[in-house]
Amino acid sequence: MSATAVSVRSYTHSVTYVVDNILKSFKEIIRLSGLSPSKMVGQWESIQRAMTTWINSGHLKGVTLEVYDPSSDGLVTRWDIDVVYAYSGGDGNFWTDTDQLAYEIKKAGCWPSLANYDIILRTEPGRPDVYGWSPCQFRSTEGFTRKSLGTTVEHCGLGGNASYYRRIS
């Protein structure tokens, strides 16, 4: 008697992997920066549902974490993970690089403990509606510079490229 193993890589599996690991990456950024992840955890299902819907429809451009000073509403820092749609199926790579994120957070230093944050999903026009989500405006990045970190999440070509904004000294 012989055994046969079958492996199926599907786009749905890739979407799930990428969504989960982008969210886990943001949770780590928040936690390692000294902020409480409880706000994000409370919104997890809603963010996950919207990301999954919009990646499946091809409308999700990226996910943004805006950290801001609630007294002035001014930006403290911003992290972006841009979605890359290069799905190839088959036996592709899958990985998440949280070590790179941790290294950059250490370089940037901790943020004020009184800071707050928002998770914003950036979409293409014509996206399907997802309950609880509506258009919004970004805080100004004037006086900041953007640093690209490259790919931080990958699954068979579907992935995410991270970057962050820091104040120009």
Side-chain angles (χ1 to χ4, degrees), residues 18-68:
V18 168
V19 167
D20 287 349
N21 283 286
I22 287 174
L23 289 173
K24 288 175 187 173
S25 295
F26 278 125
K27 185 178 173 189
E28 275 299 283
I29 291 167
I30 291 165
R31 187 185 66 77
L32 291 172
S33 299
L35 300 174
S36 171
S38 62
K39 179 180 178 181
M40 181 184 180
V41 171
Q43 300 171 342
W44 193 280
E45 285 183 33
S46 176
I47 298 168
Q48 188 177 46
R49 181 178 59 252
M51 287 178 66
T52 300
T53 299
W54 292 330
I55 288 177
N56 278 322
S57 70
H59 287 91
L60 186 64
K61 291 170 39 176
V63 184
T64 295
L65 169 69
E66 283 190 334
V67 179
Y68 64 94

Side-chain angles (χ1 to χ4, degrees), residues 17-18 86 88 92-96 151-160:
Y17 181 88
V18 168
S88 60
N93 291 324
F94 60 97
W95 49 270
T96 303
T151 303
T152 55
V153 178
E154 162 78 21
H155 194 281
C156 297
L158 180 66

Side-chain angles (χ1 to χ4, degrees), residues 86-101:
Y87 180 73
S88 60
D91 291 332
N93 291 324
F94 60 97
W95 49 270
T96 303
D97 188 357
T98 55
D99 290 341
Q100 181 184 30
L101 298 176

Side-chain angles (χ1 to χ4, degrees), residues 5-165:
V6 177
S7 175
V8 176
R9 301 246 191 271
S10 71
Y11 188 73
T12 301
H13 181 73
S14 292
V15 170
T16 301
Y17 181 88
V18 168
V19 167
D20 287 349
N21 283 286
I22 287 174
L23 289 173
K24 288 175 187 173
S25 295
F26 278 125
K27 185 178 173 189
E28 275 299 283
I29 291 167
I30 291 165
R31 187 185 66 77
L32 291 172
S33 299
L35 300 174
S36 171
S38 62
K39 179 180 178 181
M40 181 184 180
V41 171
Q43 300 171 342
W44 193 280
E45 285 183 33
S46 176
I47 298 168
Q48 188 177 46
R49 181 178 59 252
M51 287 178 66
T52 300
T53 299
W54 292 330
I55 288 177
N56 278 322
S57 70
H59 287 91
L60 186 64
K61 291 170 39 176
V63 184
T64 295
L65 169 69
E66 283 190 334
V67 179
Y68 64 94
D69 179 342
S71 64
S72 67
D73 201 44
L75 190 67
V76 173
T77 191
R78 173 176 153 174
W79 285 80
D80 292 334
I81 298 183
D82 299 324
V83 176
V84 176
Y85 293 93
Y87 180 73
S88 60
D91 291 332
N93 291 324
F94 60 97
W95 49 270
T96 303
D97 188 357
T98 55
D99 290 341
Q100 181 184 30
L101 298 176
Y103 174 77
E104 294 298 331
I105 291 166
K106 282 183 183 178
K107 277 181 33 181
C110 288
W111 304 318
S113 62
L114 298 177
N116 203 344
Y117 60 88
D118 290 324
I119 304 286
I120 300 170
L121 304 184
R122 295 174 282 118
T123 59
E124 296 284 354
R127 66 170 173 76
D129 289 335
V130 174
Y131 177 78
W133 291 86
S134 60
C136 66
Q137 297 294 316
F138 289 100
R139 289 171 178 84
S140 173
T141 56
E142 185 174 337
F144 288 79
T145 186
R146 184 176 193 222
K147 180 175 181 186
S148 177
L149 304 179
T151 303
T152 55
V153 178
E154 162 78 21
H155 194 281
C156 297
L158 180 66
N161 293 339
S163 61
Y164 71 95
Y165 289 77

